[in-house]
Amino acid sequence: MSRETSLLQQLRLAFMPELPRVFQQHGACVAADGIDGVPLLNDQTGIPEQFPHTHGLPLIQFTRGDDTRRSAINVGVILSGGQAPGGHNVIAGLFDGLKSQHPESRLCGFRGGPDGLVDDDGIELTADIIDAHRNTGGFDMVGSGRGKLEKVGQYDKVAANCKARGITGIVIVGGDDSNTNACVLAEYFVQHGAGIQVIGCPKTIDGDLKNAVIETSFGFDSASKEYSDVIGNIARDAASARKYWHFIKLMGRTASHITLECALQTRPNLALISEEVADRKQTLNEIVNEIADAIAVRARLGKNYGVVLVPEGLIEFIPEVKALIAELNDLLADAAVDDLAEPLSVADTGVLIEIGLTEQSAVVYHSLPGSIRRQLVEDRDPHGNVQVSLVDTEKLLIRMVGHRLDQMKADNSYIGNYGTQHHFFGYEGRCAMPTNFDVNYTYGLGYSAAALLGAGRTGYISCVRNLTAPAADWQPGGVPATAMLHIEQRRGRPTPVILKALVDLDGGPFKAFAAQRQRWAIEDCYLFPGAIQYFGPPELCDRTTITLQLEQSE
Ligand code: FBP
């Protein structure tokens, strides 16, 4: 990484994040009050039995100073999964929090995510390293990885590595899968008397690691604002050139939170919300027909242009494709991908049924273009998820809508020109310079993780609440991670995992979108949020996402 820095980098390095008032007054030596938490999940069948030591813990809120003298502790930290703006500030907040408890406390960064913990690839994070990364985007301070901690042998190695380094606390900064790993590790360490505390931190641009206590995951704010800036620019280009329909796929993996937030920020002509597609049990053809109809309406008004937002995970929510993916998951769990790839690529319906697909899924599989079929079969991440960022849904829709418009032209229900452009906004948002919101939020999360460790807690996810208030009024604490677990089929086996929060169709953000979208489809109501602002009026620089505002005002 270059040592030279831009002017904005220099100014951001010097920026002082604002801590919640309780930490401003007392540092990270604060009393951890156990308060009754709202139940986070209705069905936790099987979880208490699998997590006897870490299930049923109280919610923690830090409210006042604590006289207890803290001794120095050695802590290890990993960044896990996809990048999200603010990761470096979690580490900076953790470092400052630990030092405020005791100046001799030390922090070790394990490189490359969970694998670094297992392989003992750690470096001491000194004040110089931390200072060079304050308020910056990216995860390059220690890197990240999608390794999974799922085997007893790995847990024992982690324990041995920590013991050798004198580490008694681990902080795992990650999404739902990584925090699930944190839960399992915390329980294992308690069960085996390892003497190592484990704390998680809610990270993911996808925004799907949230609930009544975790109001948002970090990175969602910055990434959705970064995408909204460019979507606004594209909308303006579309309205200026008047010759292209822009199909924009947006990252977010499964849930459509990013697409919904970007739609609220920019008011595109169309935005597909995967959760609604599933709720309406729409087929791929029905989605295509709806888009084509909207294009035909605008064409009659002389508007052969527009913007369509497509959530990355759409394909998984179309019931017929979802069923196909579930069957493929089970098949792939039983066989090496290479063994299956060959018969699947033949794509003869009879062959597909022979190797285990139902007739309906075989037909759906057969109807998809070869590139999409390959992506559904071959590209899985280590957690068994389809890598939706590699599935070209926006191109698939462009093609299918084009065919539909040709048919409509033949019966005169469409008279227009269908010029298209496709875009995928994903990776460019994940390492954006974090917004003021994410800078403060992540610093608070790191500081709160240090306070949880200092208070002797394990099996918690650091949280900071009351996020629509000014940062000083935010409330730091911890939520027991097992309170978010439920059982899901993973690789053909029932597995405890943290429940992903999908878009709530009865929630404020979706309702606000649904109330306006018909007008957006026909008129040009585009909004241009512009680039993220770091310095200037607080109402511009410190504002939260519209999603958070609407959710909190419910
Ligand atoms: P996390 O869930 O780990 O935060 O990752 C988020 C994400 O950016 C998704 O939006 C996207 O589908 C995925 O990562 C892409 O993964 P990769 O970086 O492995 O290509």
Side-chain angles (χ1 to χ4, degrees):
M1 185 70 54
S2 160
R3 286 265 133 220
E4 289 171 35
T5 48
S6 69
L7 180 56
L8 187 59
Q9 274 177 286
Q10 291 160 29
L11 293 172
R12 288 310 272 174
L13 284 173
F15 183 83
M16 276 305 296
E18 181 150 21
L19 270 177
R21 188 166 294 110
V22 61
F23 289 141
Q24 288 178 22
Q25 289 168 344
H26 309 288
C29 290
V30 280
D33 296 319
I35 54 171
D36 284 343
V38 263
L40 298 180
L41 292 182
N42 291 330
D43 185 5
Q44 284 213 289
T45 311
I47 301 300
E49 294 78 13
Q50 291 195 46
F51 295 86
H53 303 90
T54 49
H55 187 266
L57 301 173
L59 187 65
I60 294 294
Q61 193 165 316
F62 297 117
T63 48
R64 66 206 142 79
D66 179 0
D67 293 338
T68 321
R69 278 188 72 81
R70 300 274 152 84
S71 44
I73 45 172
N74 285 352
V75 171
V77 63
I78 59 165
L79 298 173
S80 179
Q83 282 70 250
H88 288 159
N89 257 34
V90 174
I91 300 182
L94 176 63
F95 181 86
D96 292 351
L98 292 171
K99 292 285 182 192
S100 107
Q101 287 174 29
H102 196 290
E104 300 295 317
S105 288
R106 288 163 60 195
L107 183 60
C108 173
F110 288 92
R111 284 183 281 227
D115 292 347
L117 264 181
V118 178
D119 301 338
D120 195 30
D121 185 7
I123 46 157
E124 166 135 21
L125 296 176
T126 59
D128 283 350
I129 297 177
I130 299 287
D131 288 347
H133 291 89
R134 286 182 191 273
N135 311 313
T136 56
F139 277 10
D140 44 288
M141 189 200 299
V142 289
S144 183
R146 290 202 184 276
K148 207 167 154 40
L149 296 169
E150 58 182 352
K151 299 198 178 95
V152 165
Q154 292 176 311
Y155 309 153
D156 291 337
K157 270 193 185 167
V158 172
N161 296 340
C162 288
K163 196 165 178 214
R165 288 176 178 268
I167 287 175
T168 57
I170 297 174
V171 176
I172 295 182
V173 182
D176 50 340
D177 286 327
S178 312
N179 277 291
T180 298
N181 288 173
C183 272
V184 176
L185 200 58
E187 176 68 29
Y188 184 85
F189 284 163
V190 180
Q191 254 176 34
H192 292 81
I196 304 167
Q197 299 162 253
V198 184
I199 301 294
C201 266
K203 169 237 72 167
T204 178
I205 61 162
D206 302 349
D208 57 8
L209 179 48
K210 65 177 172 183
N211 50 48
V213 178
I214 295 180
E215 296 175 7
T216 187
S217 55
F218 79 77
F220 174 70
D221 188 272
S222 310
S224 55
K225 285 174 182 164
E226 190 77 23
Y227 303 141
S228 297
D229 170 24
V230 202
I231 294 166
N233 294 349
I234 283 183
R236 192 142 235 168
D237 195 89
S240 308
R242 301 175 73 88
K243 62 176 180 179
Y244 291 127
W245 272 89
H246 292 266
F247 283 68
I248 305 173
K249 183 174 77 165
L250 290 166
M251 233 183 206
R253 201 195 290 279
T254 306
S256 307
H257 297 294
I258 289 184
T259 298
L260 182 55
E261 172 65 20
C262 292
L264 292 167
Q265 295 263 359
T266 62
R267 305 186 179 173
N269 302 101
L270 295 168
L272 303 173
I273 301 299
S274 306
E275 290 81 346
E276 188 186 24
V277 165
D279 188 62
R280 291 173 60 194
K281 301 190 175 43
Q282 283 187 292
T283 63
L284 189 52
N285 279 331
E286 284 167 353
I287 297 169
V288 166
N289 292 351
E290 274 189 15
I291 299 174
D293 288 346
I295 289 176
V297 170
R298 282 178 65 85
R300 282 198 287 279
L301 300 170
K303 296 177 180 179
N304 287 302
Y305 61 90
V307 175
V308 185
L309 302 187
V310 181
E312 186 180 60
L314 177 71
I315 197 112
E316 287 187 291
F317 281 76
I318 300 169
E320 57 195 9
V321 184
K322 185 179 177 183
L324 166 66
I325 291 173
E327 288 177 31
L328 288 174
N329 280 347
D330 288 348
L331 279 177
L332 294 169
D334 295 340
V337 174
D338 287 349
D339 294 347
L340 265 181
E342 185 53 28
L344 281 170
S345 65
V346 176
D348 171 82
T349 312
V351 173
L352 294 169
I353 295 170
E354 219 167 89
I355 59 170
L357 290 187
T358 58
E359 195 175 337
Q360 200 208 350
S361 290
V363 171
V364 174
Y365 186 82
H366 200 215
S367 71
L368 296 169
S371 57
I372 303 279
R373 278 185 240 155
R374 228 180 354 268
Q375 287 159 341
L376 291 185
V377 175
E378 291 179 1
D379 301 319
R380 299 299 164 110
D381 76 5
H383 298 272
N385 303 311
V386 172
Q387 287 188 266
V388 281
S389 61
L390 302 179
V391 180
D392 298 327
T393 330
E394 72 287 20
K395 293 186 197 159
L396 175 71
L397 288 176
I398 285 179
R399 203 160 102 177
M400 292 182 74
V401 169
H403 288 154
R404 175 70 193 142
L405 290 173
D406 286 344
Q407 289 169 353
M408 290 169 73
K409 256 193 179 156
D411 68 16
N412 279 336
S413 52
Y414 171 60
I415 308 150
N417 302 319
Y418 180 57
T420 59
Q421 295 288 343
H422 58 84
H423 313 265
F424 170 36
F425 297 149
Y427 297 96
E428 52 276 78
R430 296 199 314 186
C431 283
M433 250 184 223
T435 55
N436 286 355
F437 174 87
D438 270 329
V439 155
N440 290 331
Y441 182 39
T442 47
Y443 191 70
L445 285 172
Y447 218 88
S448 190
L452 286 165
L453 289 168
R457 304 286 164 163
T458 189
Y460 277 83
I461 297 186
S462 172
C463 67
V464 176
R465 302 199 284 160
N466 201 27
L467 294 172
T468 46
D473 297 330
W474 291 356
Q475 291 160 1
V479 54
T482 50
M484 303 176 191
L485 290 177
H486 78 150
I487 301 288
E488 258 176 41
Q489 283 295 114
R490 286 284 172 101
R491 299 176 186 211
R493 280 200 308 273
T495 312
V497 290
I498 288 182
L499 179 68
K500 265 189 203 303
L502 302 180
V503 167
D504 176 5
L505 301 182
D506 293 320
F510 181 78
K511 280 188 182 158
F513 161 72
Q516 305 177 74
R517 63 177 155 183
Q518 264 173 331
R519 194 165 67 84
W520 299 353
I522 297 168
E523 298 170 25
D524 292 1
C525 302
Y526 311 130
L527 286 185
F528 311 107
I532 294 169
Q533 302 295 310
Y534 300 95
F535 301 99
E539 65 273 23
L540 177 65
C541 302
D542 300 351
R543 76 201 152 96
T544 64
T545 56
I546 299 175
T547 301
L548 191 63
Q549 285 161 28
L550 292 173
E551 282 173 348
Q552 297 299 304
S553 63
E554 274 173 44

